[in-house]
Amino acid sequence: MKQAWQLSIAILAVAACAAAQAQYRDSAPRSAYGAGENVSYAYADVLRVEPVYELVRYREPRQECYDADVERVERGGGDPTGGTIVGAIIGGAIGNQVGKGNGRKAATVAGAVIGGAIGRDIDKNNGGPDRRYSSTEQRCRTVEVEREDRRIAGYDVEYNWKGDVYMSRLNYDPGNKLRLRISVSPAD
């Protein structure tokens, strides 16, 4: 019986300790970061906001066009029609001298075709001087151009909290009020 009574007292003592811990845990300060961190939030009045700029350099392709003088050469020789006709007549006459009957007709036609081609080439090659003329063409090329931009890198913010003035660099403009996260911990 004595052991049962000691066991009951031990169980009651454990239960009382658990209840006391639960009551302490419920009364401890809470924050968004968990119980017991001693964190709270407040708002400070913004006194001054100044943007901080940085100079950014970069290269950018750009098309650059210009007018260029171009000299063109056109081969002389004029109209090769006369040489073609004379060559066909001479070739046909020579072809007519070869063969008999239907062979003579075929040789005449072949001689006229070959003679016309030869006459055309001779007339074209033995024509007048080459014709030269100048013109203007637009030519383009891609070049790399270096540019500079002035960009906002952040904001120097001066604010007042509980009579003291503080300064912070932020990556945004907070406006008239700045939300503060206040954490309290014992000094070592």
Side-chain angles (χ1 to χ4, degrees):
M1 177 89 164
K2 188 174 184 183
Q3 287 180 337
W5 186 73
Q6 287 176 340
L7 184 61
S8 297
I9 290 178
I11 292 174
L12 285 175
V14 170
C17 286
Q21 283 182 340
Q23 183 179 6
Y24 174 76
R25 187 176 55 241
D26 291 341
S27 65
R30 294 183 179 263
S31 73
Y33 297 99
E37 280 195 28
N38 296 326
V39 174
S40 63
Y41 295 94
Y43 285 91
D45 293 324
V46 174
L47 303 175
R48 182 175 57 90
V49 176
E50 281 196 34
V52 177
Y53 294 96
E54 67 181 354
L55 197 60
V56 178
R57 290 189 175 123
Y58 59 95
R59 296 180 72 84
E60 178 178 78
R62 185 182 68 165
Q63 193 167 20
E64 188 176 86
C65 296
Y66 58 94
D67 290 334
D69 291 331
V70 178
E71 185 173 307
R72 304 224 185 257
V73 177
E74 190 175 279
R75 292 198 55 145
D79 184 13
T81 307
T84 304
I85 293 172
V86 171
I89 292 171
I90 294 171
I94 294 172
N96 193 32
Q97 301 297 317
V98 178
K100 294 182 187 176
N102 286 337
R104 182 178 286 188
K105 288 180 185 176
T108 302
V109 170
V113 170
I114 293 170
I118 292 171
R120 179 181 172 276
D121 287 344
I122 290 171
D123 192 21
K124 189 174 178 185
N125 291 333
N126 290 334
D130 290 343
R131 184 175 151 223
R132 296 179 182 272
Y133 61 96
S134 296
S135 66
T136 303
E137 265 184 15
Q138 187 180 46
R139 296 196 177 160
C140 297
R141 63 182 176 170
T142 302
V143 294
E144 293 276 329
V145 178
E146 188 168 302
R147 301 222 183 251
E148 291 183 350
D149 267 351
R150 190 175 153 195
R151 297 181 183 166
I152 294 178
Y155 296 88
D156 284 339
V157 179
E158 188 177 294
Y159 54 96
N160 181 359
W161 187 66
K162 290 192 175 183
D164 290 328
V165 176
Y166 299 92
M167 179 75 116
S168 295
R169 180 164 290 177
L170 304 174
N171 59 358
Y172 63 94
D173 183 344
N176 294 330
K177 296 281 186 184
L178 177 63
R179 186 173 185 220
L180 302 176
R181 179 181 182 267
I182 299 158
S183 174
V184 180
S185 63
D188 293 333

